[in-house]
Amino acid sequence: MAESHALRDRFTAALDGARGANGPDPLPYADNLLARWREPQRRYHTVAHLTAVLDHVDVLAEHADDPQLVRLAAWFHDAVYLPDRSENEERSARLAERALPEAGVPESATAEVARLVRLTVTHAPADGDRNGEVLCDADLAILAAPPAAYAAYTAAVREEYGFVPADAFRDGRSAILRQLLDLPRLFRTPYGERAWEATARHNLSSELEMLSL
């Protein structure tokens, strides 16, 4: 319960930062989003992941042009999540485009949140896209987790895709890992590059090697 109260407070602060304090009660919007993040099909993309992304946005906030919009994008970025569907990010962005204007967020701010959500398809923000760099780095920060936490992450991802046969999962996961390793930089913020890049590449390479055994 304390976790829910704290998350509601964080959502309210981000929403008020985007719209001002006047507008509909933010709590129904927060509760709707939290219910989505608690859906039973989720194993990794849970409230724990949402909280971790928000925490990492806080670490990187000074780099963002508008950290409150980045925080709202974090709330929405996996709000729609079905492991057997490929359009989760698009559907999450559309949810933001419907909910935020109703909650009193201006059109331009809503458009930025939706743009950021869609950016999590590729995690490849353009140079100088400081909001995008912060959200993408925060979302990928799990890749630089210590060994036990990284192992728990990979196990949770496998659980989410439990309906996929082992060989197909191994091939698909390996392709994702290679795609990430082929990026010139996993992390775009100075902090992310300094603190997370080397560890993340080690984790990805180790996982790829294990999948090839």
Side-chain angles (χ1 to χ4, degrees), residues 56 140-153 187 195-196 199-200 202-203:
H56 288 121
L140 293 181
I142 183 62
L143 301 181
Y150 189 84
Y153 150 69
F187 298 102
W196 298 332
T199 302
H202 172 76
N203 285 339

Side-chain angles (χ1 to χ4, degrees), residues 18-74:
R19 70 175 187 180
N22 295 322
D25 184 354
L27 294 187
Y29 297 94
D31 288 341
N32 178 275
L33 287 165
L34 287 171
R36 291 173 177 275
W37 284 94
R38 292 184 173 123
E39 291 165 341
Q41 76 276 12
R42 298 168 183 260
R43 294 296 182 271
Y44 170 65
H45 294 88
T46 63
V47 169
H49 171 60
L50 168 63
T51 302
V53 173
L54 290 170
D55 288 346
H56 288 121
V57 170
D58 287 349
V59 170
L60 303 171
E62 289 186 0
H63 185 78
D65 289 327
D66 195 326
Q68 298 294 34
L69 296 186
V70 179
R71 291 183 177 103
L72 284 179

Side-chain angles (χ1 to χ4, degrees), residues 135-149:
L135 180 63
C136 290
D137 279 17
D139 196 26
L140 293 181
I142 183 62
L143 301 181

Side-chain angles (χ1 to χ4, degrees), residues 147-204:
Y150 189 84
Y153 150 69
T154 59
V157 170
R158 182 64 184 107
E159 282 188 51
E160 282 188 342
Y161 288 89
F163 58 91
V164 178
D167 288 349
F169 179 83
R170 183 177 61 249
D171 291 346
R173 180 70 178 173
S174 295
I176 291 170
L177 296 175
R178 291 190 188 97
Q179 182 181 24
L180 288 168
L181 286 167
D182 284 343
L183 292 172
R185 291 168 58 192
L186 289 166
F187 298 102
R188 305 299 188 92
T189 65
Y191 182 96
E193 185 175 21
R194 181 176 68 252
W196 298 332
E197 184 82 19
T199 302
R201 287 191 176 275
H202 172 76
N203 285 339
L204 293 171

